[in-house]
Amino acid sequence: SNLFSGKAILLISTSPSPGGARTALANAETMLRAFGATLFTGTISLVNYFENVSFTSSGMQIKEKNFSDNLKKSVDQLEK
């Protein structure tokens, strides 16, 4: 199937453990390639979800600055 052929894809994953997010990204990429995905613009993982994410009245707060910076760059790349 070529469902995702020519589509830009950004994979984002998080996990409560250090390795779970990376494993989920690898599995998702493998499955998406089976549907024709080849244009991966990036993969981003956030480890230790419960330590790095909180919710306030103003929305979701991500404490991990590298993740936030990488997410912004990757989304900007998608919009080009």
Side-chain angles (χ1 to χ4, degrees), residues 5 9 11 25 35 48 74:
S5 181
I9 297 173
L11 293 177
L25 284 174
F35 290 99
N48 301 321
S74 295

Side-chain angles (χ1 to χ4, degrees), residues 5-34:
S5 181
K7 306 276 195 262
I9 297 173
L10 169 62
L11 293 177
I12 304 170
S13 180
T14 188
S15 172
S17 67
R22 285 187 299 274
T23 301
L25 284 174
N27 290 335
E29 185 173 342
T30 298
M31 289 186 296
L32 289 168
R33 285 188 186 281

